[in-house]
Structures are given as C-alpha cells and as structure tokens.
Amino acid sequence: MNPQTKTAVVTGAGSGIGRAVAIALAGAGWSVALAGRRTATLEETAQEAGGETLCVQADVSIPDDVNALFAAVREQYGRLDLLFNNAGTFGPRGVPLEDIRYEEWRAVVDVNVTGAFLCAQAAYRQMKDQDPQGGRIINNGSISAHSPRPHSIAYTTTKHAMTGLTKSLSLDGRPYRIACGQIDIGNAATDMTERMQAGILQASGELMAEPVMDVRDVARTVLHMAELPLEANVQFATVLATTMPYVGRG
C-alpha cells in the first residue's frame, strides 16, 4: 500500500448506503475494508468499487467478529484513518409498540447500538495507538435521530442513542486527534426505502408515497466529511430528499 493512501472501514458495506460510500471512497483513492455479514454481497461491492479493497465477514454485534475485523485491517494496512459506522437494522416493520417481542427489540439494539459502540471502540483504540495518531469516525444516524415514524420505537430509540455515542466520542477523542461526526439521512433510495415510494404510514394515519434521493448524494457527503483535515469536523449533517415530509408539517 502507498504510505500516502488513507484507509477506511465501512460496516454494512454489502448494500445500500454502505456500498455507495465504499464505492465513493475507493473512487477517491482510499483503501477500503468492507465489513458485513454476507461475503457474497461484500465481494459484489468490491467489484463495483475497484481499487484497493478488503472483504471481511463480520457481525458487528459480536465482539470477537469486531476484534477480528480491526485486526485484519491493522495487519493489511498498518493504520486506520476512517470508520464509517453504518451497519444497522430497522427491525419489525409496522408492528404496534405493545406487540413488539423482546427478541425483536434486542436484535435492533444489539446491532444499532452495541454494534456501533464495539466498532467505534475498536477504531478509537487503533487511532489512539497508531503513529501518527488520530483518525475520524462517522456514525450513520438517521432522520429518526430527530423525529420518529409511527411504529418505529426500536429503530428510533437506537438512532437517538447514536447521537449520544457521537457526542461522547467527539469529546473523548479530542486529546488524541480523533474526530467524530454523524450523518442523518432521510429517504436515500436503497432496498430499505423501496416501500416509501409505494406508500408509507404517516403520523396522521394516512398512507403516502414519499420522494427519495440518489444514494450517491449521501456518499458524496460522507466523502466530504471524511476528507476534511482532522483540525476540522462536521459534527452533524442532515441529508434528505428535499420534499420529503420532515420539515414543518409536510
């Protein structure tokens, strides 16, 4: 690897926003470690991205998987400049609060909160110990970090928790040149948001089709955040489909 090349880890890199961000980073000359639960989809991302990539099968909710992921990155590249903490799950869709099972709640929390923490902790340790010291962590929040949708209590709770994780990482990382920011995304066109174009439940109880935006616009925003010098940080960025019903009353 060229010593001038920067190295990134992207979790949830097998599809959607993770895939788009990995492709953007690779296109900008980054070496990118692609992490996810399915090797086949990671390899598809690697083919689309081109450049220098490393596929690592990992479930971010399992500590041993996370440790193995960051050990592989350290062995392959020697340092870590960026973690895009992206892996997440929505959980049960359209299930009223009173009907959510404990196992369903726990599955969302394990990935979205515990998984994000484990990856951030591993990245933080490596960034603190490496020479030159420092790096950047970008957490994938959501519009749900600000305002919920109906029947989304597990996902919304975890995305509010992500904001606390971001703030604490920013504070604790200051002495070690570790910057942390969060991108909150609304209606990027991915498999996860296909239902929004067909019609999704609104707070009024109505079903309404919502506009979406090109996922590559999200990737460009993450790339901008990633390539800032460590003396500058985008603490929070909100990127959303311009006319989605979020600002004001819709």
Side-chain angles (χ1 to χ4, degrees), residues 14 26 48 50 95 153 166:
E48 287 192 46
V95 178
I153 191 166
T166 297

Side-chain angles (χ1 to χ4, degrees), residues 203-216:
S204 65
E206 298 176 281
L207 287 176
M208 186 179 80
E210 294 189 12
V212 296
M213 62 176 170
D214 194 320
V215 70
R216 290 174 295 183

